[in-house]
Amino acid sequence: MDALSNLPLSELFSSDFQLLKLSDQDKLGDATAKLVEKNVYSAPVCSADGAVLGLLGLSDVVHLLLQVSYDKFASVPLIEAMNVSKVNDFRTLKLTDSIAEAVKILCNVDRIVVVDDKNCPTHMISKMTVIQYLGKNPKALGDFGNKTLGESGLYSKPVKGIKGSLSVRSAFQFLLDHRIGGVAYYDTTGHVLGNVSVKDVKHCFGACGEQFLEGPVDKFINHIRASNLRAVHPTIHVSHSDTIIFVIQKFASVKIHRMFTKETGEERTIGLVSLGDILRGAATLL
């Protein structure tokens, strides 16, 4: 995997990449609407001169939604909302820095802001950004890509989750308390039904928003699935006999952040693998 140490971050992006930027003069309601419209998890917050001040992420939106009444949420100054959840430490890199450096940092944070010489943001790197690059360039993984998931041990077990009957408010609080972006939820028999993530917070606004927040997770996700055919809450599995490159390419193709694992030939879910698990494994070889 030495190749990643010699490749600049510019290799991760197409020439038509466009970055959503938020103003420090924005209010939280408007900023949240922009995140939802662009279908992104976070965006840099900039001062009047364009310099980056921090990040607003959906975890911050969730944190404030749980702390502030609905009628006051929209008017919260964005400058007070940046990283209020303390989930994602603010880190920056330059386009000339290496992909290997980004991989190491992404083991501990969700996103990195790429800045120019004036500290103005130009790009954003997420775990998925790197995973998609590796999926298209498997040779960069070297021998690591040919190891099986079972051999590498890059999964956690047993699967930690919540009951589907838990309230959406409590589920969101669970995500914040554990500094994670999503979690599996179960039925009464322990069968995994799907995932709830911070990205689902966008469905907690509007006429029924507060009602959803206090209702159970399973009904909340069922409503999303019924009302939005593009909504994705899959319980996708990979086998312990699958190679790392297969797992990476599956992550990249379905664009989700975690998949369940099972033994070859078995249907029972026994573990979980995430984008972070894969990048942490890669980082040990850099």
Side-chain angles (χ1 to χ4, degrees):
M1 296 191 59
D2 292 341
L4 297 182
S5 299
N6 300 317
L7 290 170
L9 294 179
S10 56
E11 292 290 323
L12 298 175
F13 304 100
S14 62
S15 58
D16 59 350
F17 178 87
Q18 293 185 332
L19 177 67
L20 171 64
K21 303 176 187 178
L22 304 172
S23 167
D24 63 346
Q25 299 302 306
D26 286 343
K27 299 297 185 182
L28 183 57
D30 291 336
T32 299
K34 291 176 183 178
L35 293 178
V36 171
E37 179 186 0
K38 295 297 184 180
N39 196 32
V40 295
Y41 279 87
S42 62
V45 180
C46 303
S47 61
D49 62 1
V52 63
L53 301 174
L55 278 174
L56 177 76
L58 289 178
S59 291
D60 304 316
V61 172
V62 167
H63 176 92
L64 287 164
L65 186 63
L66 299 185
Q67 300 297 322
V68 180
S69 62
Y70 263 80
D71 59 330
K72 294 180 180 179
F73 174 88
S75 61
V76 173
L78 193 53
I79 199 71
E80 297 177 9
M82 295 185 307
N83 200 32
V84 69
S85 65
K86 306 299 182 184
V87 168
N88 195 60
D89 295 331
F90 179 55
R91 298 291 300 272
T92 63
L93 287 174
K94 300 285 184 66
L95 272 180
T96 52
D97 289 324
S98 72
I99 295 177
E101 183 64 21
V103 169
K104 294 174 184 176
I105 293 174
L106 287 169
C107 291
N108 300 303
V109 305
D110 290 329
R111 280 157 187 79
I112 303 169
V113 179
V114 180
V115 297
D116 60 19
D117 292 337
K118 295 183 179 179
N119 201 39
C120 297
T122 61
H123 299 78
M124 183 91 81
I125 304 171
S126 67
K127 292 181 173 71
M128 183 59 79
T129 307
V130 177
I131 289 294
Q132 289 180 324
Y133 175 83
L134 294 175
K136 294 177 181 178
N137 300 274
K139 290 183 179 180
L141 291 165
D143 293 337
F144 174 68
N146 295 320
K147 285 187 175 182
T148 67
L149 189 59
E151 291 171 342
S152 68
L154 297 180
Y155 60 91
S156 58
K157 64 182 221 182
V159 179
K160 293 181 179 179
I162 59 175
K163 294 180 179 179
S165 58
L166 194 68
S167 73
V168 174
R169 175 184 291 275
S170 297
F172 281 155
Q173 189 62 58
F174 181 94
L175 298 180
L176 294 175
D177 291 344
H178 291 80
R179 295 172 62 89
I180 54 178
V183 66
Y185 66 94
Y186 299 87
D187 62 15
T188 54
T189 67
H191 177 68
V192 177
L193 296 176
N195 298 279
V196 60
S197 80
V198 292
K199 207 166 188 178
D200 296 318
V201 70
K202 63 186 178 183
H203 300 285
C204 289
F205 299 100
C208 299
E210 195 161 9
Q211 176 184 339
F212 285 144
L213 197 60
E214 306 305 333
V217 167
D218 52 5
K219 290 185 178 180
F220 174 61
I221 299 300
N222 286 340
H223 171 82
I224 296 173
R225 287 171 170 164
S227 61
N228 183 359
L229 296 178
R230 297 176 62 188
V232 179
H233 297 82
T235 53
I236 295 177
H237 286 78
V238 287
S239 169
H240 288 186
S241 62
D242 290 331
T243 64
I244 296 299
I245 188 56
F246 176 86
V247 173
I248 286 175
Q249 290 175 336
K250 195 163 187 176
F251 268 130
S253 65
V254 297
K255 296 181 175 61
I256 59 175
H257 290 212
R258 58 199 63 81
M259 293 188 290
F260 299 101
T261 69
K262 58 185 180 181
E263 294 284 6
T264 305
E266 297 290 334
E267 292 301 321
R268 184 173 59 91
T269 297
I270 62 172
L272 184 77
V273 60
S274 68
L275 300 182
D277 293 329
I278 299 297
L279 293 185
R280 280 186 284 274
T284 62
L285 303 175
L286 295 173

